[in-house]
Amino acid sequence: MKVNSRCFFMSGIFHCQSVARRTNDFASQTRMVFGTARTIIHRHMEKIPGSSRRMSVRTKMLLIFLALSVSALIIAGLLASVQMSDVSTFALARSTDLGNRAMEDSSRALTESTQASLLRLAGDQAYISNVIFERVADEIDMTTAYAGRIMEKPEMVRDRQFYLQDMQPPDRFSTTVLFLSPGVEDKIPAEERDAAGMMDDIFIPVYQNDRNLAALYVGTQSGMSMIYPWTTGMNESFDPRQRGWFVNARDSGALTWSEPYVDLLGHGLMVTCSKPVADPRKNWLWVIGADVTIETINQNIIGTQVGDRGYAMLIDQHGNIITRPGLSAGDMRWDESFITENLYASTNPALVAVVKNMTAGKTGIERVTYEDGDRFIAYAPVRSVNWSVAVVMPVDEVIAPAVRTRNTIFAASQETAGHITGQQNAMRNIFLGAFLVLLLVVGILTIIFSRFLTRPLEELRTGSEAIGKGDLDHQVSIRTGDEFEDLGNAFNQMAADLKEHISTLRRTTAEKERFEKELDIAKGIQQSFLPDSAPELPGIDLAGFNLPALEVGGDFYDFIPVGRGRLKGHPP
Protein backbone atom coordinates (compact mmCIF):
# COMPACT_ATOMS: atom_id res chain seq x y z
CA MET A 1 0.00 0.00 0.00
CA LYS A 2 2.84 2.33 0.63
CA VAL A 3 4.31 1.80 -2.78
CA ASN A 4 1.01 2.29 -4.56
CA SER A 5 0.37 5.39 -2.63
CA ARG A 6 3.72 6.74 -3.77
CA CYS A 7 3.08 5.77 -7.33
CA PHE A 8 -0.26 7.56 -7.22
CA PHE A 9 1.38 10.67 -5.94
CA MET A 10 4.15 10.37 -8.47
CA SER A 11 1.69 10.22 -11.38
CA GLY A 12 -0.14 13.20 -9.88
CA ILE A 13 3.13 15.07 -9.68
CA PHE A 14 4.01 14.34 -13.29
CA HIS A 15 0.54 15.56 -14.32
CA CYS A 16 0.98 18.74 -12.28
CA GLN A 17 4.37 19.40 -13.95
CA SER A 18 2.81 19.12 -17.42
CA VAL A 19 0.01 21.47 -16.47
CA ALA A 20 2.51 23.90 -14.97
CA ARG A 21 4.51 23.98 -18.20
CA ARG A 22 1.39 24.81 -20.24
CA THR A 23 0.42 27.46 -17.69
CA ASN A 24 3.83 29.16 -17.98
CA ASP A 25 3.61 29.21 -21.81
CA PHE A 26 0.16 30.80 -21.68
CA ALA A 27 1.37 33.33 -19.15
CA SER A 28 4.19 34.29 -21.51
CA GLN A 29 1.71 34.76 -24.37
CA THR A 30 -0.54 36.80 -22.13
CA ARG A 31 2.32 39.06 -21.18
CA MET A 32 3.15 39.49 -24.86
CA VAL A 33 -0.48 40.42 -25.63
CA PHE A 34 -0.52 42.94 -22.82
CA GLY A 35 2.80 44.32 -24.01
CA THR A 36 1.47 44.65 -27.57
CA ALA A 37 -1.70 46.30 -26.29
CA ARG A 38 0.33 48.73 -24.23
CA THR A 39 2.51 49.48 -27.27
CA ILE A 40 -0.53 50.10 -29.50
CA ILE A 41 -2.20 52.29 -26.92
CA HIS A 42 1.05 54.14 -26.30
CA ARG A 43 1.47 54.80 -30.01
CA HIS A 44 -2.11 55.98 -30.28
CA MET A 45 -1.65 58.22 -27.29
CA GLU A 46 1.40 59.76 -28.92
CA LYS A 47 -0.79 60.75 -31.87
CA ILE A 48 -3.51 62.32 -29.74
CA PRO A 49 -3.83 66.10 -30.39
CA GLY A 50 -2.88 68.18 -27.42
CA SER A 51 0.07 66.01 -26.45
CA SER A 52 2.55 68.05 -24.48
CA ARG A 53 5.51 66.58 -26.37
CA ARG A 54 4.37 67.25 -29.97
CA MET A 55 2.42 69.80 -32.00
CA SER A 56 -1.18 68.88 -32.60
CA VAL A 57 -2.36 67.75 -36.03
CA ARG A 58 -4.87 70.56 -36.10
CA THR A 59 -2.14 73.11 -35.45
CA LYS A 60 0.05 71.55 -38.11
CA MET A 61 -2.76 71.62 -40.64
CA LEU A 62 -3.56 75.22 -39.74
CA LEU A 63 0.08 76.24 -40.14
CA ILE A 64 0.45 74.31 -43.40
CA PHE A 65 -2.68 75.82 -44.92
CA LEU A 66 -1.73 79.28 -43.72
CA ALA A 67 1.80 78.89 -45.05
CA LEU A 68 0.53 77.73 -48.42
CA SER A 69 -2.08 80.48 -48.59
CA VAL A 70 0.30 83.21 -47.47
CA SER A 71 2.98 82.01 -49.88
CA ALA A 72 0.53 81.94 -52.77
CA LEU A 73 -0.82 85.39 -51.93
CA ILE A 74 2.65 86.86 -51.47
CA ILE A 75 3.86 85.36 -54.75
CA ALA A 76 0.74 86.59 -56.55
CA GLY A 77 1.14 90.04 -54.99
CA LEU A 78 4.82 90.24 -55.90
CA LEU A 79 4.09 89.14 -59.46
CA ALA A 80 1.27 91.67 -59.75
CA SER A 81 3.46 94.42 -58.29
CA VAL A 82 6.34 93.55 -60.59
CA GLN A 83 4.01 93.44 -63.58
CA MET A 84 2.45 96.79 -62.70
CA SER A 85 5.91 98.27 -62.12
CA ASP A 86 7.01 96.93 -65.48
CA VAL A 87 3.89 98.40 -67.07
CA SER A 88 4.60 101.77 -65.43
CA THR A 89 8.24 101.70 -66.51
CA PHE A 90 7.33 100.59 -70.02
CA ALA A 91 4.62 103.23 -70.34
CA LEU A 92 6.96 105.97 -69.12
CA ALA A 93 9.78 104.78 -71.39
CA ARG A 94 7.48 104.55 -74.39
CA SER A 95 5.98 107.96 -73.65
CA THR A 96 9.46 109.44 -73.28
CA ASP A 97 10.56 107.83 -76.51
CA LEU A 98 7.38 109.02 -78.20
CA GLY A 99 7.98 112.52 -76.88
CA ASN A 100 11.57 112.52 -78.13
CA ARG A 101 10.61 111.17 -81.54
CA ALA A 102 7.68 113.58 -81.75
CA MET A 103 9.99 116.44 -80.86
CA GLU A 104 12.60 115.33 -83.39
CA ASP A 105 10.00 114.95 -86.14
CA SER A 106 8.26 118.17 -85.19
CA SER A 107 11.55 120.02 -84.86
CA ARG A 108 12.65 118.80 -88.26
CA ALA A 109 9.34 119.73 -89.83
CA LEU A 110 9.22 123.09 -88.04
CA THR A 111 12.81 123.80 -88.93
CA GLU A 112 12.24 123.06 -92.60
CA SER A 113 8.98 125.01 -92.61
CA THR A 114 10.52 127.92 -90.71
CA GLN A 115 13.55 128.06 -92.96
CA ALA A 116 11.30 128.22 -95.98
CA SER A 117 9.10 130.83 -94.28
CA LEU A 118 12.06 132.93 -93.15
CA LEU A 119 13.56 132.76 -96.61
CA ARG A 120 10.27 133.89 -98.13
CA LEU A 121 9.96 136.59 -95.49
CA ALA A 122 13.48 137.84 -96.20
CA GLY A 123 12.71 137.86 -99.89
CA ASP A 124 9.43 139.69 -99.28
CA GLN A 125 11.10 142.25 -97.02
CA ALA A 126 13.86 142.74 -99.55
CA TYR A 127 11.28 143.20 -102.27
CA ILE A 128 9.30 145.71 -100.17
CA SER A 129 12.48 147.52 -99.21
CA ASN A 130 13.60 147.54 -102.80
CA VAL A 131 10.25 149.02 -103.89
CA ILE A 132 10.42 151.76 -101.25
CA PHE A 133 14.04 152.60 -101.89
CA GLU A 134 13.46 152.55 -105.63
CA ARG A 135 10.55 154.88 -105.13
CA VAL A 136 12.73 157.26 -103.15
CA ALA A 137 15.44 156.95 -105.78
CA ASP A 138 12.90 157.62 -108.54
CA GLU A 139 11.68 160.63 -106.61
CA ILE A 140 15.23 161.91 -106.33
CA ASP A 141 15.76 161.27 -110.05
CA MET A 142 12.59 163.17 -110.81
CA THR A 143 13.57 166.00 -108.48
CA THR A 144 17.07 166.32 -109.94
CA ALA A 145 15.57 166.27 -113.43
CA TYR A 146 13.33 169.16 -112.41
CA ALA A 147 16.32 170.99 -110.94
CA GLY A 148 18.18 170.45 -114.22
CA ARG A 149 15.33 172.00 -116.21
CA ILE A 150 15.31 175.01 -113.88
CA MET A 151 19.02 175.44 -114.52
CA GLU A 152 18.50 175.11 -118.26
CA LYS A 153 15.42 177.37 -118.42
CA PRO A 154 15.82 180.51 -116.37
CA GLU A 155 12.39 181.64 -117.54
CA MET A 156 10.89 179.07 -115.18
CA VAL A 157 12.17 181.04 -112.22
CA ARG A 158 9.73 183.49 -110.70
CA ASP A 159 9.77 185.78 -107.77
CA ARG A 160 8.84 184.32 -104.44
CA GLN A 161 9.21 184.95 -100.74
CA PHE A 162 11.90 183.12 -98.86
CA TYR A 163 11.49 182.14 -95.22
CA LEU A 164 14.41 181.82 -92.88
CA GLN A 165 14.16 179.66 -89.77
CA ASP A 166 13.29 182.69 -87.65
CA MET A 167 10.47 183.66 -90.06
CA GLN A 168 7.54 181.27 -89.55
CA PRO A 169 5.25 180.97 -92.59
CA PRO A 170 1.45 180.63 -92.33
CA ASP A 171 1.77 176.98 -93.28
CA ARG A 172 5.05 175.18 -92.72
CA PHE A 173 4.13 172.63 -95.39
CA SER A 174 3.70 175.36 -98.02
CA THR A 175 7.32 176.42 -98.34
CA THR A 176 10.92 175.58 -97.67
CA VAL A 177 13.26 177.15 -95.18
CA LEU A 178 16.27 178.97 -96.50
CA PHE A 179 19.44 178.36 -94.57
CA LEU A 180 22.78 179.93 -95.33
CA SER A 181 26.01 178.42 -94.13
CA PRO A 182 28.30 180.59 -92.01
CA GLY A 183 30.15 183.22 -94.08
CA VAL A 184 28.23 182.90 -97.30
CA GLU A 185 25.44 185.38 -96.71
CA ASP A 186 26.90 187.93 -99.12
CA LYS A 187 28.28 185.40 -101.59
CA ILE A 188 25.10 183.66 -102.71
CA PRO A 189 24.08 184.78 -106.21
CA ALA A 190 20.47 185.91 -106.23
CA GLU A 191 19.90 184.05 -109.50
CA GLU A 192 20.98 180.76 -107.91
CA ARG A 193 18.94 181.52 -104.78
CA ASP A 194 15.81 182.21 -106.84
CA ALA A 195 16.36 179.13 -108.97
CA ALA A 196 16.84 176.90 -105.91
CA GLY A 197 13.70 178.43 -104.42
CA MET A 198 11.72 176.96 -107.32
CA MET A 199 12.33 173.48 -105.89
CA ASP A 200 9.26 174.05 -103.68
CA ASP A 201 7.14 173.22 -106.71
CA ILE A 202 8.52 169.68 -106.79
CA PHE A 203 9.23 169.12 -103.10
CA ILE A 204 5.63 169.68 -101.99
CA PRO A 205 3.91 167.06 -104.22
CA VAL A 206 6.69 164.49 -103.76
CA TYR A 207 6.61 164.83 -99.97
CA GLN A 208 2.82 164.64 -99.82
CA ASN A 209 2.76 161.49 -101.91
CA ASP A 210 5.41 159.61 -99.94
CA ARG A 211 4.90 159.30 -96.22
CA ASN A 212 8.23 157.52 -95.82
CA LEU A 213 10.12 160.78 -96.41
CA ALA A 214 11.18 162.90 -93.46
CA ALA A 215 12.43 165.83 -95.53
CA LEU A 216 13.44 166.95 -99.01
CA TYR A 217 16.17 169.51 -99.57
CA VAL A 218 18.75 170.90 -101.89
CA GLY A 219 22.25 171.87 -100.86
CA THR A 220 24.46 173.97 -103.07
CA GLN A 221 28.20 174.20 -103.49
CA SER A 222 27.79 177.87 -102.73
CA GLY A 223 26.70 177.00 -99.13
CA MET A 224 22.96 177.46 -99.42
CA SER A 225 20.28 174.98 -98.28
CA MET A 226 16.56 174.82 -99.14
CA ILE A 227 14.80 172.35 -96.78
CA TYR A 228 11.18 171.20 -97.02
CA PRO A 229 9.03 171.40 -95.02
CA TRP A 230 9.89 174.58 -93.24
CA THR A 231 11.46 174.00 -89.84
CA THR A 232 13.39 175.84 -87.21
CA GLY A 233 16.04 175.02 -84.64
CA MET A 234 18.84 174.48 -87.12
CA ASN A 235 22.34 174.99 -85.79
CA GLU A 236 24.04 178.06 -87.21
CA SER A 237 27.20 176.09 -87.88
CA PHE A 238 25.44 173.69 -90.24
CA ASP A 239 27.08 173.47 -93.65
CA PRO A 240 25.65 171.01 -96.20
CA ARG A 241 28.93 170.83 -98.01
CA GLN A 242 30.46 168.98 -95.06
CA ARG A 243 27.79 166.34 -94.74
CA GLY A 244 28.34 162.83 -96.01
CA TRP A 245 25.26 162.75 -98.23
CA PHE A 246 26.56 165.85 -100.07
CA VAL A 247 30.18 164.77 -100.33
CA ASN A 248 29.39 161.24 -101.54
CA ALA A 249 26.94 162.43 -104.19
CA ARG A 250 29.28 165.19 -105.36
CA ASP A 251 32.29 162.88 -105.53
CA SER A 252 30.48 159.99 -107.18
CA GLY A 253 28.41 162.06 -109.53
CA ALA A 254 25.58 159.54 -109.11
CA LEU A 255 22.73 158.63 -106.80
CA THR A 256 24.01 157.45 -103.42
CA TRP A 257 22.65 156.35 -100.11
CA SER A 258 24.40 157.51 -96.97
CA GLU A 259 25.26 155.53 -93.90
CA PRO A 260 23.15 156.27 -90.81
CA TYR A 261 23.87 159.60 -89.19
CA VAL A 262 22.31 161.84 -86.57
CA ASP A 263 19.76 164.19 -88.15
CA LEU A 264 20.22 167.93 -87.81
CA LEU A 265 16.49 168.48 -87.36
CA GLY A 266 16.12 166.08 -84.43
CA HIS A 267 14.60 163.15 -86.28
CA GLY A 268 17.15 160.76 -84.83
CA LEU A 269 19.11 158.44 -87.05
CA MET A 270 18.67 159.07 -90.71
CA VAL A 271 19.75 157.80 -94.11
CA THR A 272 19.73 160.06 -97.11
CA CYS A 273 19.31 159.34 -100.76
CA SER A 274 21.13 162.07 -102.67
CA LYS A 275 22.07 162.87 -106.24
CA PRO A 276 24.01 165.77 -107.76
CA VAL A 277 22.85 168.09 -110.50
CA ALA A 278 25.13 170.74 -112.04
CA ASP A 279 25.21 173.57 -114.55
CA PRO A 280 28.79 173.96 -115.64
CA ARG A 281 27.96 177.14 -117.54
CA LYS A 282 26.97 178.89 -114.37
CA ASN A 283 29.28 176.87 -112.14
CA TRP A 284 26.34 175.66 -110.13
CA LEU A 285 26.43 172.35 -108.24
CA TRP A 286 23.42 171.21 -106.35
CA VAL A 287 22.84 168.01 -104.44
CA ILE A 288 19.20 166.94 -104.05
CA GLY A 289 18.53 164.87 -100.93
CA ALA A 290 15.63 162.91 -99.44
CA ASP A 291 15.74 161.82 -95.78
CA VAL A 292 14.32 158.53 -94.58
CA THR A 293 14.49 157.98 -90.83
CA ILE A 294 15.68 154.70 -89.36
CA GLU A 295 12.45 154.60 -87.38
CA THR A 296 10.52 154.79 -90.62
CA ILE A 297 12.58 151.95 -92.05
CA ASN A 298 12.00 149.88 -88.92
CA GLN A 299 8.26 150.50 -88.90
CA ASN A 300 7.42 150.37 -92.57
CA ILE A 301 10.16 148.32 -94.18
CA ILE A 302 11.67 145.72 -91.88
CA GLY A 303 9.53 146.15 -88.83
CA THR A 304 7.58 142.93 -89.38
CA GLN A 305 7.39 140.98 -86.14
CA VAL A 306 9.20 137.65 -86.48
CA GLY A 307 8.02 135.52 -83.60
CA ASP A 308 8.63 136.75 -80.07
CA ARG A 309 12.37 137.33 -80.34
CA GLY A 310 12.99 137.38 -84.06
CA TYR A 311 13.90 140.57 -85.88
CA ALA A 312 15.04 141.92 -89.21
CA MET A 313 18.02 144.09 -90.04
CA LEU A 314 19.43 145.91 -93.01
CA ILE A 315 23.13 146.12 -93.91
CA ASP A 316 24.89 147.98 -96.65
CA GLN A 317 27.38 146.74 -99.20
CA HIS A 318 30.24 147.18 -96.70
CA GLY A 319 28.68 145.10 -93.95
CA ASN A 320 27.56 148.10 -91.90
CA ILE A 321 24.26 147.79 -90.11
CA ILE A 322 21.86 150.34 -91.56
CA THR A 323 19.04 149.51 -89.22
CA ARG A 324 17.90 146.97 -86.74
CA PRO A 325 15.58 147.02 -83.72
CA GLY A 326 17.01 149.14 -80.94
CA LEU A 327 19.36 151.12 -83.17
CA SER A 328 19.19 154.78 -82.13
CA ALA A 329 21.34 157.87 -81.88
CA GLY A 330 21.05 158.03 -78.13
CA ASP A 331 22.48 161.31 -76.81
CA MET A 332 24.66 161.94 -79.85
CA ARG A 333 24.60 165.35 -81.48
CA TRP A 334 24.05 165.94 -85.18
CA ASP A 335 27.63 167.03 -85.63
CA GLU A 336 29.04 163.85 -84.07
CA SER A 337 29.90 160.93 -86.30
CA PHE A 338 27.62 157.98 -85.73
CA ILE A 339 29.69 154.81 -86.07
CA THR A 340 27.46 151.87 -86.84
CA GLU A 341 28.36 148.26 -86.21
CA ASN A 342 30.22 146.46 -88.95
CA LEU A 343 29.47 142.75 -89.02
CA TYR A 344 32.76 141.95 -90.71
CA ALA A 345 34.39 142.80 -87.40
CA SER A 346 32.54 139.96 -85.67
CA THR A 347 34.58 137.15 -84.09
CA ASN A 348 31.95 134.64 -85.15
CA PRO A 349 33.24 133.05 -88.37
CA ALA A 350 29.82 131.68 -89.28
CA LEU A 351 28.32 135.17 -89.05
CA VAL A 352 31.14 136.64 -91.13
CA ALA A 353 30.47 134.00 -93.81
CA VAL A 354 26.80 135.00 -93.86
CA VAL A 355 27.76 138.71 -94.19
CA LYS A 356 29.99 137.87 -97.17
CA ASN A 357 27.04 136.21 -98.90
CA MET A 358 24.81 139.17 -98.08
CA THR A 359 27.21 141.80 -99.40
CA ALA A 360 27.69 139.64 -102.50
CA GLY A 361 23.98 140.00 -103.24
CA LYS A 362 23.11 136.34 -102.57
CA THR A 363 19.92 134.85 -101.20
CA GLY A 364 19.93 132.06 -98.62
CA ILE A 365 19.48 130.93 -95.02
CA GLU A 366 22.11 129.76 -92.56
CA ARG A 367 22.20 128.48 -89.00
CA VAL A 368 24.64 130.45 -86.89
CA THR A 369 25.73 129.50 -83.41
CA TYR A 370 25.97 132.22 -80.76
CA GLU A 371 26.89 131.99 -77.11
CA ASP A 372 23.23 132.24 -76.10
CA GLY A 373 21.98 129.74 -78.69
CA ASP A 374 21.62 129.10 -82.39
CA ARG A 375 19.84 131.44 -84.77
CA PHE A 376 18.53 131.16 -88.30
CA ILE A 377 19.58 134.03 -90.55
CA ALA A 378 17.68 134.33 -93.82
CA TYR A 379 18.89 137.02 -96.21
CA ALA A 380 18.00 138.54 -99.57
CA PRO A 381 19.44 141.50 -101.51
CA VAL A 382 17.88 144.96 -101.90
CA ARG A 383 19.31 145.53 -105.35
CA SER A 384 18.23 149.13 -105.77
CA VAL A 385 20.67 150.24 -103.08
CA ASN A 386 23.02 147.24 -103.11
CA TRP A 387 22.03 146.46 -99.53
CA SER A 388 20.73 143.26 -97.99
CA VAL A 389 17.88 142.39 -95.66
CA ALA A 390 18.40 139.73 -93.01
CA VAL A 391 15.67 138.07 -90.93
CA VAL A 392 17.00 136.59 -87.70
CA MET A 393 15.10 134.11 -85.56
CA PRO A 394 16.32 132.00 -82.61
CA VAL A 395 16.25 128.27 -83.29
CA ASP A 396 14.81 127.51 -79.87
CA GLU A 397 11.83 129.72 -80.69
CA VAL A 398 11.38 127.84 -83.95
CA ILE A 399 11.27 124.48 -82.21
CA ALA A 400 9.42 125.87 -79.18
CA PRO A 401 6.12 124.25 -80.30
CA ALA A 402 7.91 120.91 -80.60
CA VAL A 403 9.46 121.41 -77.17
CA ARG A 404 6.05 122.29 -75.76
CA THR A 405 4.62 119.20 -77.40
CA ARG A 406 7.38 117.08 -75.92
CA ASN A 407 6.89 118.69 -72.52
CA THR A 408 3.16 118.07 -72.82
CA ILE A 409 3.83 114.44 -73.66
CA PHE A 410 6.32 114.21 -70.81
CA ALA A 411 3.84 115.83 -68.44
CA ALA A 412 1.17 113.41 -69.61
CA SER A 413 3.66 110.58 -69.20
CA GLN A 414 4.52 111.71 -65.70
CA GLU A 415 0.82 112.04 -64.94
CA THR A 416 0.26 108.56 -66.34
CA ALA A 417 3.18 107.22 -64.33
CA GLY A 418 1.81 108.94 -61.23
CA HIS A 419 -1.62 107.49 -61.92
CA ILE A 420 -0.11 104.04 -62.38
CA THR A 421 1.88 104.51 -59.17
CA GLY A 422 -1.30 105.56 -57.42
CA GLN A 423 -3.04 102.51 -58.83
CA GLN A 424 -0.14 100.38 -57.65
CA ASN A 425 -0.43 101.83 -54.16
CA ALA A 426 -4.19 101.33 -54.26
CA MET A 427 -3.69 97.78 -55.49
CA ARG A 428 -1.17 97.18 -52.73
CA ASN A 429 -3.65 98.44 -50.17
CA ILE A 430 -6.42 96.38 -51.73
CA PHE A 431 -4.12 93.39 -51.86
CA LEU A 432 -3.13 93.92 -48.24
CA GLY A 433 -6.80 94.14 -47.23
CA ALA A 434 -7.67 91.14 -49.38
CA PHE A 435 -4.66 89.35 -47.96
CA LEU A 436 -5.83 89.93 -44.41
CA VAL A 437 -9.40 88.96 -45.28
CA LEU A 438 -8.27 85.86 -47.16
CA LEU A 439 -5.91 85.04 -44.34
CA LEU A 440 -8.80 85.26 -41.88
CA VAL A 441 -11.05 83.23 -44.17
CA VAL A 442 -8.34 80.65 -44.75
CA GLY A 443 -7.71 80.48 -41.02
CA ILE A 444 -11.39 79.95 -40.27
CA LEU A 445 -11.81 77.41 -43.06
CA THR A 446 -8.62 75.68 -41.98
CA ILE A 447 -9.87 75.44 -38.42
CA ILE A 448 -13.22 74.08 -39.61
CA PHE A 449 -11.55 71.71 -42.03
CA SER A 450 -8.96 70.61 -39.49
CA ARG A 451 -11.71 69.96 -36.98
CA PHE A 452 -13.51 67.92 -39.58
CA LEU A 453 -10.36 65.98 -40.36
CA THR A 454 -9.27 65.58 -36.75
CA ARG A 455 -12.71 64.56 -35.46
CA PRO A 456 -11.89 60.89 -36.15
CA LEU A 457 -8.63 61.38 -34.28
CA GLU A 458 -10.56 62.91 -31.40
CA GLU A 459 -12.85 59.90 -31.47
CA LEU A 460 -9.84 57.57 -31.44
CA ARG A 461 -8.29 59.56 -28.60
CA THR A 462 -11.50 59.26 -26.58
CA GLY A 463 -11.59 55.55 -27.30
CA SER A 464 -7.93 55.16 -26.29
CA GLU A 465 -8.60 56.96 -23.01
CA ALA A 466 -11.63 54.75 -22.37
CA ILE A 467 -9.62 51.58 -23.04
CA GLY A 468 -6.79 52.97 -20.95
CA LYS A 469 -9.30 53.27 -18.08
CA GLY A 470 -10.42 49.65 -18.61
CA ASP A 471 -13.61 50.16 -20.59
CA LEU A 472 -12.99 47.48 -23.18
CA ASP A 473 -16.60 47.62 -24.33
CA HIS A 474 -16.15 51.17 -25.68
CA GLN A 475 -16.64 51.44 -29.45
CA VAL A 476 -15.63 54.38 -31.67
CA SER A 477 -18.07 55.53 -34.34
CA ILE A 478 -16.30 56.90 -37.43
CA ARG A 479 -18.30 57.13 -40.64
CA THR A 480 -16.03 59.10 -42.98
CA GLY A 481 -15.77 56.52 -45.75
CA ASP A 482 -11.99 56.76 -45.87
CA GLU A 483 -8.88 55.53 -44.07
CA PHE A 484 -10.10 57.06 -40.84
CA GLU A 485 -13.13 54.78 -40.89
CA ASP A 486 -10.81 51.79 -41.52
CA LEU A 487 -8.67 52.89 -38.60
CA GLY A 488 -11.78 53.17 -36.39
CA ASN A 489 -12.90 49.68 -37.38
CA ALA A 490 -9.39 48.38 -36.67
CA PHE A 491 -9.48 50.15 -33.32
CA ASN A 492 -12.82 48.54 -32.42
CA GLN A 493 -11.48 45.15 -33.49
CA MET A 494 -8.37 45.73 -31.41
CA ALA A 495 -10.54 46.55 -28.38
CA ALA A 496 -12.59 43.39 -28.92
CA ASP A 497 -9.46 41.26 -29.34
CA LEU A 498 -7.91 42.87 -26.30
CA LYS A 499 -11.04 42.11 -24.28
CA GLU A 500 -10.93 38.49 -25.41
CA HIS A 501 -7.25 38.18 -24.56
CA ILE A 502 -7.78 39.70 -21.15
CA SER A 503 -10.71 37.36 -20.48
CA THR A 504 -8.59 34.39 -21.50
CA LEU A 505 -5.76 35.72 -19.39
CA ARG A 506 -8.03 35.94 -16.39
CA ARG A 507 -9.11 32.32 -16.80
CA THR A 508 -5.57 31.06 -17.25
CA THR A 509 -4.42 33.09 -14.29
CA ALA A 510 -7.10 31.52 -12.07
CA GLU A 511 -6.15 28.03 -13.31
CA LYS A 512 -2.49 28.77 -12.69
CA GLU A 513 -3.21 29.80 -9.13
CA ARG A 514 -5.15 26.55 -8.61
CA PHE A 515 -2.31 24.51 -10.07
CA GLU A 516 0.23 26.31 -7.92
CA LYS A 517 -1.79 25.45 -4.81
CA GLU A 518 -1.95 21.82 -5.85
CA LEU A 519 1.78 21.83 -6.54
CA ASP A 520 2.41 23.26 -3.10
CA ILE A 521 0.32 20.43 -1.60
CA ALA A 522 2.15 17.87 -3.74
CA LYS A 523 5.46 19.31 -2.71
CA GLY A 524 4.49 19.01 0.94
CA ILE A 525 3.44 15.42 0.46
CA GLN A 526 6.67 14.66 -1.43
CA GLN A 527 8.77 16.22 1.31
CA SER A 528 6.88 14.15 3.89
CA PHE A 529 8.09 10.97 2.17
CA LEU A 530 11.70 11.99 2.64
CA PRO A 531 13.52 11.31 5.89
CA ASP A 532 13.62 14.17 8.26
CA SER A 533 17.24 13.45 9.19
CA ALA A 534 20.08 11.09 8.45
CA PRO A 535 21.00 8.34 10.94
CA GLU A 536 23.95 8.92 13.18
CA LEU A 537 26.75 6.45 12.79
CA PRO A 538 29.95 6.72 14.68
CA GLY A 539 32.73 7.86 12.43
CA ILE A 540 30.44 8.53 9.49
CA ASP A 541 28.57 11.66 8.49
CA LEU A 542 25.47 11.03 6.46
CA ALA A 543 23.32 13.67 4.65
CA GLY A 544 20.58 13.70 2.02
CA PHE A 545 18.93 16.45 -0.05
CA ASN A 546 16.29 16.44 -2.76
CA LEU A 547 16.07 19.44 -5.19
CA PRO A 548 13.42 18.96 -7.95
CA ALA A 549 13.63 20.93 -11.23
CA LEU A 550 10.13 22.29 -10.62
CA GLU A 551 8.02 22.51 -7.49
CA VAL A 552 7.90 18.69 -7.23
CA GLY A 553 9.95 15.84 -8.58
CA GLY A 554 9.73 12.05 -9.02
CA ASP A 555 12.89 11.10 -7.07
CA PHE A 556 12.89 9.89 -3.41
CA TYR A 557 15.48 8.60 -1.00
CA ASP A 558 15.46 7.02 2.44
CA PHE A 559 17.78 5.44 4.99
CA ILE A 560 16.88 1.77 5.76
CA PRO A 561 18.63 -0.24 8.51
CA VAL A 562 19.82 -3.65 7.21
CA GLY A 563 21.47 -5.08 10.30
CA ARG A 564 23.75 -4.25 13.09
CA GLY A 565 26.67 -2.37 11.84
CA ARG A 566 25.48 -2.36 8.17
CA LEU A 567 23.52 0.00 6.01
CA LYS A 568 21.90 -0.73 2.71
CA GLY A 569 20.77 1.94 0.40
CA HIS A 570 17.19 1.60 -0.73
CA PRO A 571 16.66 2.85 -4.23
CA PRO A 572 13.60 4.93 -5.04
Side-chain angles (χ1 to χ4, degrees), residues 279 371 408:
D279 186 353
E371 292 182 357
T408 301

Side-chain angles (χ1 to χ4, degrees), residues 89-124:
T89 303
F90 178 78
L92 184 60
R94 292 297 297 170
S95 298
T96 302
D97 181 64
L98 177 61
N100 290 331
R101 286 191 287 115
M103 179 184 175
E104 292 175 0
D105 296 340
S106 300
S107 298
R108 188 181 303 108
L110 286 172
T111 298
E112 294 174 355
S113 175
T114 301
Q115 287 179 337
S117 298
L118 290 177
L119 194 57
R120 287 194 301 270
L121 180 60
D124 293 342

